[in-house]
Amino acid sequence: MVLNKFRLNLKSILAYGALIAFSMPIFLVFLWLVITTFSTRTEGLESLGWTLSNWSFLWKSPFGPKFQSIWIVTLNTFILATVMTTIVVFVSAMSAYALSRMKFAGRKGFLSATLILHAFPSVTLLIPIYFVLRWITKVPIIGQGLPLIGGFGFNTIGGVALVMVAFQLPFGIWIMKGFFDNISWDMERSALIDGASRFQVWWKILMPNIKPGIAALSIFAFISAWNAYIIPFTFTVGRAGKSTVLSVYIQNFMSESVMTEWNMVAAVGLFQLIPVLIFFFFTQEALLNIYGGGAKGGA
Amino acid sequence: MEVRLKNLSKHFGKVKAVNNFNLEINDGEFVALLGPSGCGKTTTLLMIAGIYKPTAGGIYFGDKIVNEVLPKDRKIGMVFQSYALYPHMTAFDNITFPLKLLRTPKEEREKRVNEVAKLVQIEELLDRKPAELSGGQQQRVALCRALIKKPDILLLDEPLSNLDAKLRTLMRAELKRLQRRLGITTIFVTHDQVEAMTMSDKIALLQLGKLQQYSSSDELYNRPVNLFVAGFIGSPPMNLIDVSLEQEEGKLLLKNEDITIEIPSKISKLIQSRSQDNKIVLGIRPENITIDHKRGEEAEVYVVEPMGMQVLVTVKLGNLQIKVLTAPPFTKKMGEEVKLHFNVNKIHLFDKNTEKSLLLN
Ligand SMILES: Nc1ncnc2c1ncn2[C@@H]1O[C@H](COP(=O)(O)OP(=O)(O)OP(=O)(O)O)[C@@H](O)[C@H]1O
Ligand SMILES: [Mg+2]
């Protein structure tokens, strides 16, 4: 007994030891980041003077009054991430349902096309997309006249979201298709006999049973939108523009004429990270559920 | 509601899952679709439900052809082999789902649930989710969901196959009583012949997508129309022996190198008029052979299997192995000699080539 217990302990000590050793570098980097944001200067992990001035961007624009406040920028980022996530989840779920359940011409080709699209380097498409967005801008209302998101044209949050949705969809469709494939046909047939329409089957029966998939895709989509840089940077105008998002905002610190304030960059970076952490905290259970066997019961 | 299938076919690419199926089911009848795995039972049921479109042929409810009617408009209830309960809903919500879709008022829904729940005694389980129910309870919830719309036709796809032996016997009787009480036309799919024989008014026996025989269980057991039916129905199965008809010293004999059975001239005339090349399969059920008779064919005991009420004895007759059912006690041991008597009035004869019965029309 005693021996057994001891061996078990030794095993877990080894396991934890290995895990700690491997996570240490990552942890130290984060620790360094946090210390930096509250210091005037640092030497390694050692602060050479504590200060709050790096966080002054929270109440006063560091670049002068003609720049957006950080809160507006954060709101923009939030709207962008939410809009993009919502569209990605809905469109992915609907097309994945069709790909998983319906027979139609070109289904196979479509599936392999989405895989290829997923691997396609998005940077190469920036110029054609620019022209598409310019064109959308000319469409009345939808182009530039919508509240909150601005519209779906060039230099609007909606436009940026639209482009990012397009890049995210192949991935989303594949994830969701996997989840739909795992749901038995019988459940769906049963619902059809019970009197549901195809759409009701999708919405009332299948969607609630792939919640872990929806959660996973939402988290991936949200985080990638929150951290996106190239696309918002390319399709919004001016660093002080009204559609600026956080990642682009950080760029303002890097100009040729003034010395870059790295400690403040670190602070804004950490600020950008906080919502992601909060988001993760609330959704981790759903994420873990993916490996816990998806839909339970129902034999 | 009467159900008629007319030349019904369903092909999946090259696979003919259901092939030219004709069936008539009267109002209130309990019919079993019986057959080995993969013979097209589920496919047939799903066509009746409207989930699959027939490749050819028609499905009639009463006088109306329903080929183009949507599943939800067919007034059917169905229980799937997997039960197909919705895991995210409680038993109550599962059962009321069809009513909810019809926008039935809440009080009405509750009243109806209590009615059907009482029928199968699951009143206390209504607030549980499917994962918290046993297999038998899930099955009853599924049955309630199928019944709540007061369907004209009830379709059951192997509803008992996931239950343990004891519960299966219990539910068999319960289901039969329920069907009689409600008088719903019911089509019941199973690959278990005992289930089919005990529960249904009529059995449709299928093989490879084709209907083999459609009759009462009694008829199916005593008057099989072909070799497949003869071999499928009955447990232990019928003995099937290759023989030919011969005439010796004025006697009419069915014989091969191991066995000789004398038959009346009435039977031999039938054989002579129907058999092409005198290749015949003799079928006789284990209970129609008597053992240890004073005269008869000599055979050697191969193995003895007591089954409680009866003893199943396998004997060797030359190269043939024959199964015999006899009443206990059976005292002979392995290797000892016995005499067999075949009850000639109970034999079945089939043409070896066409596999059709030679005695029936
Ligand atoms: N959707 C489908 N696509 C292709 N072939 C199918 C499909 N459904 C059934 N089949 C084939 O049709 C035949 C009949 O299938 P079916 O499910 O009706 O058999 P079953 O009698 O219900 O068998 P079991 O007792 O195993 O449930 C099988 O050979 C099966 O492989
Ligand atoms: Mg089946």
Side-chain angles (χ1 to χ4, degrees):
Chain A
M1 257 324 265
V2 177
L3 200 77
N4 233 345
K5 211 169 184 182
F6 174 74
R7 226 187 278 150
L8 203 78
N9 272 340
L10 191 69
K11 219 169 145 191
S12 49
I13 287 171
L14 277 177
Y16 277 112
L19 287 176
I20 289 170
F22 279 113
S23 5
M24 210 37 145
I26 304 166
F27 174 75
L28 287 180
V29 170
F30 274 100
L31 187 65
W32 184 41
L33 181 72
V34 174
I35 292 173
T36 304
T37 63
F38 291 106
S39 308
T40 47
R41 275 175 58 213
T42 52
E43 209 175 87
L45 286 176
E46 192 188 345
S47 171
L48 300 178
W50 298 101
T51 174
L52 273 179
S53 68
N54 294 326
W55 289 88
S56 64
F57 65 87
L58 287 180
W59 54 88
K60 173 176 127 245
S61 169
F63 319 111
K66 75 179 166 68
F67 281 78
Q68 301 276 3
S69 127
I70 185 86
W71 297 108
I72 301 280
V73 177
T74 307
L75 181 68
N76 283 345
T77 318
F78 186 77
I79 292 171
L80 170 68
T82 312
V83 169
M84 180 229 177
T85 304
T86 312
I87 301 179
V88 164
V89 167
F90 271 86
V91 176
S92 301
M94 281 197 265
S95 51
Y97 172 78
L99 286 168
S100 168
R101 292 304 212 232
M102 294 171 181
K103 268 191 197 154
F104 50 87
R107 177 176 166 276
K108 274 238 170 80
F110 191 91
L111 270 175
S112 29
T114 50
L115 251 196
I116 294 165
L117 282 177
H118 182 49
F120 205 87
S122 51
V123 184
T124 54
L125 293 176
L126 291 182
I127 294 167
I129 290 171
Y130 169 77
F131 286 105
V132 173
L133 285 182
R134 287 312 294 232
W135 183 83
I136 294 177
T137 310
K138 289 186 213 130
V139 180
I141 304 177
I142 295 174
Q144 280 188 307
L146 294 176
L148 234 61
I149 57 168
F152 289 104
F154 182 71
N155 198 19
T156 62
I157 293 173
V160 173
L162 204 61
V163 176
M164 298 213 321
V165 163
F167 284 119
Q168 193 78 32
L169 272 182
F171 171 73
I173 291 171
W174 266 95
I175 290 255
M176 293 304 238
K177 181 177 175 291
F179 278 88
F180 281 120
D181 286 347
N182 273 334
I183 294 187
S184 83
W185 278 91
D186 281 357
M187 209 149 84
E188 187 165 356
R189 290 171 176 157
S190 173
L192 284 175
I193 293 171
D194 284 346
S197 65
R198 205 79 200 228
F199 186 80
Q200 282 172 322
V201 169
W202 175 76
W203 180 245
K204 292 193 167 168
I205 303 296
L206 294 183
M207 287 300 265
N209 280 300
I210 56 160
K211 269 188 194 154
I214 296 173
L217 181 58
S218 307
I219 292 161
F220 283 125
F222 192 91
I223 290 174
S224 67
W226 189 266
N227 292 330
Y229 172 69
I230 295 269
I231 295 169
F233 179 64
T234 315
F235 299 119
T236 53
V237 179
R239 293 169 175 186
K242 64 181 195 304
S243 312
T244 314
V245 295
L246 278 171
S247 54
V248 179
Y249 184 82
I250 292 183
Q251 245 250 324
N252 287 334
F253 289 100
M254 303 176 204
S255 65
E256 292 86 36
S257 49
V258 192
M259 263 258 289
T260 306
E261 282 211 55
W262 285 113
N263 293 28
M264 204 178 257
V265 172
V268 180
L270 191 60
F271 177 78
Q272 187 186 355
L273 195 68
I274 291 167
V276 176
L277 289 180
I278 295 173
F279 193 67
F280 229 90
F281 182 77
F282 283 110
T283 52
Q284 60 174 341
E285 200 173 330
L287 269 184
L288 291 178
N289 218 341
I290 297 171
Y291 304 102
K296 285 188 214 151
Chain B
M1 180 70 77
E2 297 123 50
V3 180
R4 273 182 302 146
L5 309 180
K6 266 197 187 161
N7 301 322
L8 193 64
S9 296
K10 177 72 186 177
H11 301 175
F12 296 107
K14 275 196 187 131
V15 181
K16 294 182 175 173
V18 175
N19 196 0
N20 231 343
F21 191 4
N22 286 290
L23 198 70
E24 292 203 7
I25 299 167
N26 295 326
D27 188 30
E29 249 177 356
F30 194 143
V31 167
L33 294 184
L34 177 64
S37 197
C39 70
K41 306 180 297 282
T42 302
T43 308
T44 307
L45 213 58
L46 288 176
M47 279 193 283
I48 298 172
I51 301 290
Y52 285 160
K53 269 221 162 79
T55 310
I59 300 165
Y60 297 80
F61 290 178
D63 297 327
K64 223 180 96 210
I65 185 160
V66 294
N67 281 27
E68 301 298 324
V69 179
L70 289 175
K72 59 175 177 154
D73 301 324
R74 292 197 181 193
K75 295 199 166 171
I76 50 173
M78 180 157 174
V79 176
F80 288 82
Q81 184 173 355
S82 60
Y83 309 143
L85 294 176
Y86 314 127
H88 58 294
M89 299 182 188
T90 62
F92 181 91
D93 290 336
N94 262 283
I95 298 169
T96 50
F97 185 66
L99 296 184
K100 245 189 196 151
L101 292 170
L102 289 174
R103 302 181 187 286
T104 315
K106 196 156 175 258
E107 307 85 65
E108 168 85 8
R109 287 207 304 260
E110 278 173 6
K111 202 181 111 225
R112 296 264 285 274
V113 171
N114 288 331
E115 272 170 32
V116 286
K118 202 177 267 172
L119 227 49
V120 294
Q121 293 144 27
I122 51 162
E123 295 108 311
E124 328 78 59
L125 307 174
L126 288 176
D127 48 3
R128 296 210 202 155
K129 294 246 176 95
E132 301 155 0
L133 296 171
S134 75
Q137 292 165 338
Q138 287 185 21
Q139 191 242 23
R140 285 182 236 194
V141 172
L143 190 61
C144 283
R145 186 179 61 187
L147 288 174
I148 194 134
K149 269 208 293 186
K150 300 190 173 149
D152 290 339
I153 298 160
L154 186 60
L155 305 174
L156 308 170
D157 191 356
E158 311 210 17
L160 304 179
S161 63
N162 283 338
L163 308 180
D164 65 45
K166 202 172 155 199
L167 193 57
R168 203 180 311 165
T169 324
L170 189 85
M171 282 311 293
R172 216 161 70 193
E174 290 288 317
L175 257 181
K176 183 168 180 173
R177 260 187 72 84
L178 192 71
Q179 193 271 342
R180 287 284 137 76
R181 238 165 83 199
L182 301 176
I184 304 180
T185 310
T186 303
I187 305 173
F188 177 93
V189 160
T190 178
H191 59 251
D192 179 346
Q193 50 171 305
V194 180
E195 246 168 62
M197 296 182 93
T198 50
M199 293 171 73
S200 49
D201 300 315
K202 270 179 164 177
I203 298 171
L205 184 58
L206 289 148
Q207 190 209 10
L208 297 174
K210 282 201 81 84
L211 180 65
Q212 305 294 319
Q213 186 166 354
Y214 180 45
S215 56
S216 67
S217 56
D218 188 50
E219 183 85 9
L220 212 57
Y221 191 81
N222 293 314
R223 296 160 64 85
V225 297
N226 63 29
L227 257 180
F228 173 78
V229 180
F232 190 86
I233 300 290
S235 167
M238 187 187 281
N239 296 296
L240 297 169
I241 308 161
D242 287 345
V243 292
S244 54
L245 178 67
E246 275 160 43
Q247 214 160 354
E248 279 172 22
E249 303 161 7
K251 286 182 181 168
L252 293 159
L253 302 173
L254 287 173
K255 66 181 289 187
N256 63 19
E257 50 195 32
D258 301 315
I259 194 172
T260 310
I261 294 176
E262 191 182 344
I263 51 167
S265 64
K266 202 176 80 192
I267 294 182
S268 77
K269 279 204 191 98
L270 278 176
I271 298 174
Q272 275 157 347
S273 66
R274 288 181 184 161
S275 167
Q276 303 275 321
D277 52 3
N278 202 10
K279 282 189 177 155
I280 299 160
V281 180
L282 163 74
I284 183 153
R285 293 206 182 274
E287 65 267 31
N288 295 327
I289 305 174
T290 331
I291 225 165
D292 211 17
H293 214 262
K294 284 181 196 76
R295 62 197 166 82
E297 299 272 335
E298 286 196 354
E300 177 194 323
V301 176
Y302 185 71
V303 67
V304 181
E305 299 164 76
M307 305 197 303
M309 233 164 70
Q310 279 166 314
V311 184
L312 178 62
V313 186
T314 310
V315 298
K316 260 187 103 121
L317 223 158
N319 293 321
L320 289 177
Q321 281 196 16
I322 294 180
K323 292 196 183 295
V324 182
L325 270 180
T326 180
F330 183 79
T331 49
K332 290 266 160 67
K333 299 262 152 46
M334 245 163 74
E336 288 184 335
E337 196 125 298
V338 289
K339 289 205 171 93
L340 300 181
H341 175 72
F342 295 83
N343 183 349
V344 182
N345 295 324
K346 296 282 186 167
I347 61 170
H348 305 270
L349 297 172
F350 304 95
D351 187 306
K352 173 100 175 148
N353 297 318
T354 64
E355 302 203 340
K356 292 227 170 74
S357 170
L358 292 167
L359 302 181
L360 304 172
N361 290 313

